[in-house]
Amino acid sequence: MESTCIDTSLNLNVVPSLNMDEFLVEELHRLSCENKRLSESLTHMWENYEAMQNQLSQLVNKKIEHQTQQSRKRKAEFESCINNTECSTNITEEESVIKRTSDTMNMITLPKVSKVLVKTEASNTSLYVMDGYQWRKYGQKVTRDNPSPRAYFKCSYAPSCPVKKKVQKSLDDPTILVATYEGEHNHGHQQLAKIPLVSRQSEEGPMGSVHVSSPTSIIDKVDNVQKSSSIRQFLVQQMATSLTRDPNFTAALATAISGRILDQTSMPKW
DNA sequence: CGTATTTGACCCGCGC
DNA sequence: GCGCGGGTCAAATACG
């Protein structure tokens, strides 16, 4: 990955006293160019991010499909063993395909239920998925098929919003959270800043640096427009936070401002 | 003190 | 009808 080094510092120390307006216009122009380059860089990063996410999504879907087929095959074999004491395979591959297709059709005829897979770090034990909406947890259960608990959430952004969400760690990969959404939001998307603090607990590393651990990636289908806008906002927020938390940046900024203020004492008023 | 989370109790559907 | 398991409720608790 190419790295770009962009000078974001304000050149406040070198000020020709006679050409202040000219200097300011030039500085403004320079900052506009920097801003444009940053925007282009962000767009480029975003495109790479989306491409990688699509690739990951395809890989995960392939893996899930493969595992589903295997488990169905095993189940079919097991059921045929029960039905037939000679343990011969009664279900043909064709019938199996029909069953799979009908399962898929069932999924298609339930459009309001969607699954989202979220990659997290293995050490992350929370069941909070940061998706831009505000959720209130109303229950938690340990289910039979999975040792990790399943958390139940309701959308708390609008009291009348009927959307519910179930979050549980994947049985195969504990680093993947499986969020099942039921229903559709009857309100707009909210800003990430309104996400409950709990869901952002793991974002700060030991040194206080900005390190996002959940979600590392949202894999499956989330409304693309909403996802794009929220993640863009998130990226911008991250960049701003990174800059303000960088001691070098703040020190340089402080030096520049203090230098500028001190310079003003020996300069004509403007 | 208000709000969010936790967790045991309860409800309900499904299979036997 | 009974037991089991998933889903929901609501009182207790934690937290800012």
Side-chain angles (χ1 to χ4, degrees), chain A residues 136-175:
Chain A
R136 189 180 66 83
K137 190 177 179 181
Y138 67 91
Q140 183 166 314
K141 270 275 184 187
V142 176
T143 55
R144 227 186 92 185
D145 57 335
N146 194 331
S148 67
R150 176 185 296 168
Y152 299 89
F153 297 90
K154 281 178 183 171
C155 180
S156 63
Y157 182 64
S160 58
C161 184
V163 181
K164 290 176 189 173
K165 173 171 87 166
K166 289 181 280 188
V167 181
Q168 191 172 29
K169 284 190 175 181
S170 170
L171 187 59
D172 301 317
D173 187 354
T175 64

Side-chain angles (χ1 to χ4, degrees), chain A residues 235-254:
Chain A
L235 285 172
V236 170
Q237 205 177 333
Q238 290 285 78
M239 288 174 71
T241 313
S242 299
L243 286 173
T244 54
R245 286 193 184 176
D246 183 356
N248 293 331
F249 176 77
T250 49
L253 187 62

Side-chain angles (χ1 to χ4, degrees), chain A residues 2-15:
Chain A
E2 58 186 309
S3 64
T4 54
C5 188
I6 296 166
D7 179 18
T8 56
S9 64
L10 278 170
N11 189 9
L12 297 172
N13 288 329
V14 185
V15 183

